[in-house]
Amino acid sequence: MRTANTHKNMARCAATATLACVLGLGLAAPAYADTASDLAAARTKLEQIGTQTQQIYDELATQTQALDQTAGEITQKQQEIADGQAKLSTYVAGEYKTGGLSLLQVLTGVDDLSDMLNRLFYYGKVSDKQAQTIQEVKELKQQLTDKHAEQEKNVATTQKKVDELNAQQAEAQNVVNSLDSQLQAELAAEAEANAALQAGINASTAEKATVSNETAGTTENTNNGGQTSNNNNQGGNTPAPTPAPAPTPQPSTPAPAPMPSAPSQSVDGGSVVSRAYSKLGCAYSWGGIGPNSFDCSGFVSYCLTGRYCRLGTTGTFMGWTRVSDPQPGDVVVNSYHTGIYIGGGQMIHASDYNTGVIISSVAAGMNNNYIFVRY
């Protein structure tokens, strides 16, 4: 029986060790980290396209306004040409002749040679002057027409750019939507995997405790079986039996190391985010805990507690309970940096000496291998 129990215990220990190895592999970096990084990059690209689109819309509006103005000037010059032609065709004050009158009509009613010469002189001068003015206006109108055609070409080119940017914006939005859906699915899978991992750890812990108890019970039964009863020895000076040697202590399976857990207190995410926003623009200083300068962990400590103190370092935060559905007010952390998550893939953190406390995307601020934990 003892041999059977020993083999059984050894099998259980082997199974427990195997499970621990499998669970250890399961503690790798979150699977959704790459998707979150891609999503942040796609959102940045979408914002850039939006900025470019707004700029090109402004350019299109300016060009369209100039086009309308040129069209108005062309209309004005067309009216001036019509007015000039009307003047040229009108005989003014009995001496000015129209271009539409014949020379015979001009000379009709001539009283003498002097009158004829005067009429011919004024007819020619007025006609030449009006014709010159009309020609100048026509040339200006042609310049405006050419300008209008060039402006129409520019507007068409700009409109093409607008259409292209709109298409790029729609494509970028589709990428963002797709990555966001993928990230949500991966976060859900991560949460399910974490639940299964915790269940496996709990089962492993219980199995180890069972193996330890059974080993201790087997040792106790063996020691009790080796004792000798002296109840049948009556009378006389029977020497006392030699005491049995003390049982050799049996090694026991060490208790599993406790899993890190979040601090017992809880905080309001809205308050944490509000404190983070209140320190935007503050300087970065190594070891700083406020009120006007912080390092990254000092800044997170202030946001979580509202006090100018230090809860710990990034290593401390890495040991807190991870969350797969990060909410505003949670902590984003890796081995060398940390910040406060504010939602939408963004965080506020004490970045470096050049920028101080800023808002940035999580992917840009943490680079890789980051996790989310809750205080």
Side-chain angles (χ1 to χ4, degrees), residues 336-359:
Y336 61 86
H337 194 53
T338 186
I340 296 297
Y341 184 64
I342 60 174
Q346 302 284 307
M347 71 173 185
I348 300 179
H349 58 123
S351 178
D352 54 36
Y353 289 101
N354 292 327
T355 56
V357 178
I358 60 171
I359 298 177

Side-chain angles (χ1 to χ4, degrees), residues 2 6 26 56 88 96 98 125 134 136 144 146 150 196 225 227 229 270 275 283 295 320 371:
R2 179 179 179 183
T6 301
I56 204 70
L88 189 59
Y96 294 87
T98 70
K125 289 298 182 182
I134 292 171
E136 291 174 354
L144 290 172
D146 294 342
E150 184 67 23
Q227 292 179 354
S229 174
R275 295 187 195 112
D295 63 11
W320 292 355
I371 61 173

Side-chain angles (χ1 to χ4, degrees), residues 104-317:
L104 178 61
Q105 291 173 312
V106 171
L107 298 178
T108 299
V110 172
D111 294 331
D112 53 30
L113 179 59
S114 177
D115 185 27
M116 180 186 71
L117 293 175
N118 286 336
R119 290 193 181 199
L120 288 174
F121 175 79
Y122 284 113
Y123 172 75
K125 289 298 182 182
V126 172
S127 298
D128 291 345
K129 183 63 176 177
Q130 291 291 8
Q132 180 182 357
T133 300
I134 292 171
Q135 183 61 32
E136 291 174 354
V137 174
K138 283 183 177 180
E139 291 174 356
L140 182 56
K141 179 197 171 187
Q142 184 59 47
Q143 294 175 6
L144 290 172
T145 301
D146 294 342
K147 178 180 178 181
H148 189 268
E150 184 67 23
Q151 288 175 331
E152 284 183 328
K153 186 187 299 184
N154 292 338
V155 168
T157 300
T158 304
Q159 183 62 56
K160 184 178 179 181
K161 292 180 181 178
V162 169
D163 295 339
E164 291 174 352
L165 283 173
N166 284 336
Q168 293 177 17
Q169 191 172 32
E171 182 179 355
Q173 185 64 61
N174 289 336
V175 172
V176 168
N177 293 341
S178 176
L179 286 173
D180 187 62
S181 299
Q182 180 180 344
L183 179 60
Q184 296 305 319
E186 290 179 359
L187 288 174
E190 187 80 8
E192 183 177 353
N194 287 341
L197 177 63
Q198 188 61 52
I201 291 173
N202 293 340
S204 174
T205 302
E207 187 72 21
K208 287 181 179 179
T210 300
V211 170
S212 178
N213 291 337
E214 289 185 355
T215 301
T218 300
T219 301
E220 181 179 354
N221 291 336
T222 300
N223 291 335
N224 288 337
Q227 292 179 354
T228 302
S229 174
N230 294 322
N231 290 337
N232 293 328
N233 294 332
Q234 301 292 331
N237 294 323
T238 304
T242 303
T248 303
Q250 298 293 322
S252 61
T253 303
M259 293 295 293
S261 60
S264 59
Q265 70 181 103
S266 61
V267 296
D268 176 62
S271 299
V272 174
V273 171
S274 295
R275 295 187 195 112
Y277 271 103
S278 72
K279 295 300 180 180
L280 282 174
C282 285
Y284 177 92
S285 65
W286 188 84
I289 58 172
N292 298 316
S293 63
F294 301 87
D295 63 11
C296 63
S297 57
F299 173 73
V300 168
S301 298
Y302 165 73
C303 294
L304 294 175
T305 65
R307 301 187 305 274
Y308 300 117
C309 63
R310 185 179 300 279
L311 292 175
T313 64
T314 55
T316 305
F317 305 156

